Amino acid sequence: MYPPPRKDFISLTLSDQHSRTYNNGKHRRQSCWRKWKQLSRLQRSLILFLLAVLLVFGLFSYPSLTEQWRGLSDREDWLELDDKELKAMPQGVQPVVGPAVGKVPVDAAGPEVRPAVGPGLIPDIIAEPERPRVPFLPKPPIKKRPFPNKRGPPSLHKGGNVSVSMGKEKQEQEVVQAEEGEEDNGEKKIVSWRGAMIEADQATEPPPSADEKEAAVPPVETNPDDPVPLATGLWTRDRLEAVRDAFRHAWKGYKDYAWGHDELKPVSKSFGEWFGLGLTLVDSLDTMWILGLKEEFEDARNWVEKELSFSKNIDVNLFESTIRILGGLLSTYHLSGDQLFLEKAKDIGSRLMPAFKTPSKIPFSDVNLGKGTAHPPRWTSDSTLAEVTSIQLEFRELSRLTQDPQYQEVVNEVMKLVHKLPGKQDGLVPMFINTNSGQFTHKGVFTLGARADSYYEYLLKQWIQGGKTEDDLLEDYLQAVEGVKKHLLRQTGPSRLTFVGELSHNRFVPKMDHLVCFLPGTLALGAHNGLPGDHMDLAVQLIETCHQMYAQMETGLSPEIAHFNLQPHDGRDVDVKTADRHNLLRPETVESLFYMYRFTKDTKYRNWGWDILESFNKYTKVSSGGYTSINNVRDPANPGPRDKMESFFLGETLKYFYLLFSDDTELLSLDKYVFNTEAHPLPIWPSPPK
């Protein structure tokens, strides 16, 4: 085979000096592309990368151009926000004032409250819904948009028989640091929940506090107890919802295993009876209203209407039935305006009156509701001082509502007798009083703990309730505070914690009941109402001690009774005897934390309260429902459940947790309500004309 013949070609270029040069452009473009394709993939990638870097560098070298583009992008983002996103942002809630008149609006968004009679400031119960995330714009070039006034917990924003009230208000509104200066001027409307109606009063609203102004845009709260800063709004919503969850869990256990009975036994999934009057249910009615738990409240109301009867052949304790049942019914009546609760309050109030039929007018401790008879305990003819002097708020209010003076007269007579009695020591009173002689017994023992505690609390609160006109009450209270300072106040050796001990026949005992932790809140309340400023100083010291009674325990929960170390050497401030290591889910420390935060706005009180709630959830929560008191706060591995959930855990402890974590200072304003010793709010009476 021969190879194919080879062909040779000659390229010849002819040119003329007068002719134009021939340029084959198409061929040249094809040659450049051919050369680009001949490069390796790596070479082409490097060239493209370098070009991209040069382009980016060039863009960033012109900041004015970059800022202009960024501004255009931001404006486009803002304009893309539709009306639905903006309308989802809730406005802060203001309370509504006034008597019950008018017609119920159709639209509904959350539970509203109203007084039974006369004027009074009625708080709305809210849980602020989450705000949508809106881009931050330094100067949004758009028209201001109004914000709706959503009220009530998010779960209740579906309509129903709850109406919305837009109070006449001027309040700054901002959209997460973006929008400010909003004003909402609307007419005050009628508000209602389940038929209870009020119309807003024309009284001038007080200017919003700093806390209320900050509610619109939650500031970043830095706290050493938190690993990272938290926005106040989110912080508040989460913790308020945690309280609601705790209540729902406790209520689930009660409803499943103890419905209509006095107390839940959560471990054995059974119940215990004390009076046979649905004590837990009645005690927690106003808590459900305040927390906005409408469904639970309606279930309980139906039981009260159909099942609660006081015409039973049962003995009840005058003090406990007054503060828990009578107080709970009166409070719920004021918050809901439902006449059912006032009628039930009248019923039990009249059935308790036989207790006052004694030679001395000091009431017996026990009453048979069905028979209309009363008697002292089987083992003595004495009554404890706290019991006969801590029923006044409730009976006085019952007289005001019914216009029947008999209730107020009998309890006022008790206070007049105690005011004049000999046997006090610088305002401090013994623990027992005889129903026959009307004289103190067991003299020489003075404490602010069990059997005496609420006597001191009710001195101040009656004075506040009555419009600060009853000088004897104020005199006794001020004298008692000085007596505490003189005889009962000491400091521990290791950390100089201030505590209130006991005096037994002139011998000081460094022992303090958890019950005494009501005192910081009471002192702060007095200072808020114009009493000496050193009362608040003492309150600050005592609440620190009450906090340490929790913090120094391995479970983070306080014992029932603490003993304090007076020796000036290193060691533990708080000592707990074996018999005193139990915790009954008591409210007193949380109560005082609520007062202290309301008056000081110091967030450490909220953080201390949160620690306590977490400890309750960790060591006392029962998985099937409910919470249980425990036997040993010093043993986190085996705290020893006692299988009992006291009614005051729902009636007091969880209520004070909710109020502590709420940013709404008008939610049960302490200038308009006074709490009884079972945490049931009753209205402060209008001051009489001078």
Side-chain angles (χ1 to χ4, degrees), residues 420-569:
K420 300 174 182 176
L421 279 181
K424 300 179 185 177
Q425 185 161 336
D426 294 316
L428 303 178
V429 293
M431 295 186 293
F432 296 96
I433 187 168
N434 189 270
T435 56
N436 293 319
S437 66
Q439 299 296 312
F440 290 131
T441 60
H442 301 81
K443 297 180 181 179
V445 179
F446 302 99
T447 177
L448 264 70
R451 300 187 177 92
D453 51 349
S454 49
Y455 159 74
Y456 303 100
E457 175 189 358
Y458 269 39
L459 287 175
L460 175 68
K461 290 183 175 180
Q462 287 177 81
W463 177 70
I464 293 173
Q465 179 195 45
K468 305 178 185 178
T469 60
E470 297 158 287
D471 294 337
D472 286 350
L473 296 170
L474 178 61
E475 176 188 336
D476 287 346
Y477 175 75
L478 292 174
Q479 190 177 13
V481 173
E482 294 306 310
V484 169
K485 293 178 182 178
K486 181 177 179 181
H487 299 289
L488 305 183
L489 216 57
R490 296 287 191 280
Q491 288 187 329
T492 63
S495 303
R496 311 301 295 170
L497 296 178
T498 301
F499 69 95
V500 178
E502 297 181 355
L503 199 64
S504 179
H505 304 288
N506 294 319
R507 182 177 66 88
F508 181 78
V509 182
K511 162 186 171 290
M512 184 168 117
D513 294 358
H514 183 275
L515 289 167
V516 181
C517 286
F518 84 91
L519 186 58
T522 300
L523 289 168
L525 179 63
H528 177 72
N529 281 275
L531 300 189
D534 62 352
H535 288 201
M536 178 59 84
D537 297 336
L538 180 56
V540 170
Q541 298 173 44
L542 290 175
I543 193 60
E544 170 69 31
T545 303
C546 292
H547 165 62
Q548 290 300 324
M549 288 170 64
Y550 285 80
Q552 294 190 21
M553 298 299 108
E554 288 78 357
T555 60
L557 294 174
S558 171
E560 179 72 0
I561 300 173
H563 288 75
F564 291 91
N565 180 11
L566 297 177
Q567 300 304 316
H569 57 72

Side-chain angles (χ1 to χ4, degrees), residues 109 234 259 272 293 324 330 333 339 396 422 473 502 510 558 573 609 661:
L234 179 61
W259 184 251
L293 302 176
R324 302 192 197 205
L330 290 173
Y333 169 64
Q339 195 73 16
R396 285 155 52 111
L473 296 170
E502 297 181 355
S558 171
D573 293 279
F661 297 142

Side-chain angles (χ1 to χ4, degrees), residues 83-101:
D83 288 342
K84 292 182 179 179
E85 291 177 283
L86 292 174
K87 290 179 180 178
M89 301 176 192
Q91 183 177 349
V93 176
Q94 291 292 330
V96 184
V97 187
V101 292

Side-chain angles (χ1 to χ4, degrees), residues 386-447:
E387 291 188 351
V388 303
T389 57
S390 303
I391 54 179
Q392 278 69 17
L393 292 178
E394 299 83 358
F395 275 85
R396 285 155 52 111
E397 181 61 16
L398 185 59
S399 275
R400 189 175 77 95
L401 293 175
T402 62
Q403 298 299 303
D404 185 347
Q406 65 169 327
Y407 306 109
Q408 182 170 352
E409 288 173 354
V410 293
V411 295
N412 281 356
E413 184 64 26
V414 174
M415 297 309 300
K416 292 176 183 177
L417 291 171
V418 173
H419 174 71
K420 300 174 182 176
L421 279 181
K424 300 179 185 177
Q425 185 161 336
D426 294 316
L428 303 178
V429 293
M431 295 186 293
F432 296 96
I433 187 168
N434 189 270
T435 56
N436 293 319
S437 66
Q439 299 296 312
F440 290 131
T441 60
H442 301 81
K443 297 180 181 179
V445 179
F446 302 99
T447 177

